[in-house]
Amino acid sequence: MTQYGFNSNIGGFFSRIPATKNILIVNVIFFIACMVNENFMVKTFSMFYPTSPLFRIWQPLTYMFMHGGFAHIFVNMWGLVMFGAALENAIGTRKFLILYFLSGFGALALHTGIQFIEAATLAGGIASGEYSAQVSYLNLIRTPMLGASGAIFGIQAAYAMLYPNNVWTLVFPPVSLKAKWFIIIFMAIELVTGITGTASGVAHFAHLGGALVGLLLTWYWRRTGKLWRY
């Protein structure tokens, strides 16, 4: 992976990536608040389906700062620092923020769109009084979406667009591939697992939506010559 020669001083490192630093801080604050009162935080700031009585207008933004455990936030924040630092340095803070949050909104849009299709398919059963359809719909509107994964997938996809031949190495399994191949494999896995329902409890289409926005936005900026303009 490309070496960027960051200042070994932590303060110097973070002073050049203010967006990455502040996103990291807000995520940690939300995580600590969840440790204090998880029920309130999840019900208030996670994303619920718009017809749910638990839906609040701010949730499309705040869900990106919520996480379901230490492993969840650790993996996402590790990805944020690894890829976010490189991107923010390369394209500037303003574009990085646009990329990050549009990827998060794109993740939400695709996830919610799939939920809308699911709700529409259940409508007939609910109208006829089918118990299983009613239970499925209640589960749909009561299950929150949370996490920065969609936004992180977006910045990973953007990184792969900018540095396609940089090599990524997984910790487990210890596989090394060029970034362009990794992002294609990741997106294919998310598509297949989303369609088949594998690994329930994971918002696979949200990951895919975030990655698509990251790819498309980076492609657009590069094609119009705006990518490197701060």
Side-chain angles (χ1 to χ4, degrees):
M1 196 170 287
T2 301
Q3 298 295 315
Y4 286 89
F6 292 132
N7 192 322
S8 59
N9 178 274
I10 294 298
F13 170 76
F14 279 112
S15 68
R16 291 195 284 174
I17 49 170
T20 301
K21 178 187 71 174
N22 288 322
I23 291 170
L24 175 64
I25 290 171
V26 175
N27 273 278
V28 171
I29 291 172
F30 268 68
F31 186 71
I32 293 171
C34 283
M35 295 174 65
V36 175
N37 192 334
E38 182 178 13
N39 184 57
F40 169 79
M41 292 296 293
V42 171
K43 289 173 64 176
T44 306
F45 297 110
S46 298
M47 178 65 198
F48 288 87
Y49 190 65
T51 61
S52 171
L54 294 173
F55 173 75
R56 301 291 182 269
I57 194 170
W58 55 79
Q59 291 173 354
L61 174 64
T62 57
Y63 92 92
M64 294 183 231
F65 301 107
M66 295 289 297
H67 288 88
F70 180 77
H72 192 196
I73 189 173
F74 178 81
V75 170
N76 279 341
M77 294 304 98
W78 178 261
L80 172 66
V81 173
M82 287 290 293
F83 300 100
L87 282 175
E88 188 174 355
N89 269 280
I91 66 176
T93 296
R94 185 179 67 86
K95 280 196 178 66
F96 175 76
L97 285 170
I98 293 171
L99 173 67
Y100 185 88
F101 285 106
L102 283 186
S103 294
F105 293 139
L108 174 62
L110 186 55
H111 176 78
T112 305
I114 296 299
Q115 284 186 312
F116 177 80
I117 294 172
E118 292 175 358
T121 60
L122 294 170
I126 294 171
S128 61
E130 291 182 16
Y131 177 74
S132 60
Q134 294 171 356
V135 170
S136 295
Y137 181 73
L138 286 175
N139 286 335
L140 186 150
I141 65 173
R142 290 175 178 174
T143 302
M145 174 188 174
L146 69 167
S149 302
I152 300 302
F153 264 76
I155 63 175
Q156 286 178 321
Y159 183 99
M161 283 279 286
L162 295 183
Y163 311 108
N165 294 317
N166 282 5
V167 176
W168 296 356
T169 301
L170 295 178
V171 175
F172 183 82
V175 176
S176 296
L177 284 174
K178 291 182 178 180
K180 60 185 177 183
W181 299 121
F182 257 129
I183 202 66
I184 291 172
I185 292 170
F186 288 163
M187 292 178 70
I189 290 173
E190 294 301 327
L191 178 60
V192 172
T193 51
I195 292 173
T196 60
T198 307
S200 60
V202 178
H204 298 292
F205 286 107
H207 298 167
L208 186 60
L212 286 172
V213 171
L215 289 174
L216 291 173
L217 188 56
T218 306
W219 171 84
Y220 170 75
W221 279 339
R222 188 162 64 181
R223 187 172 184 274
T224 56
K226 297 177 181 178
L227 183 60
W228 308 110
R229 296 183 198 165
Y230 281 63

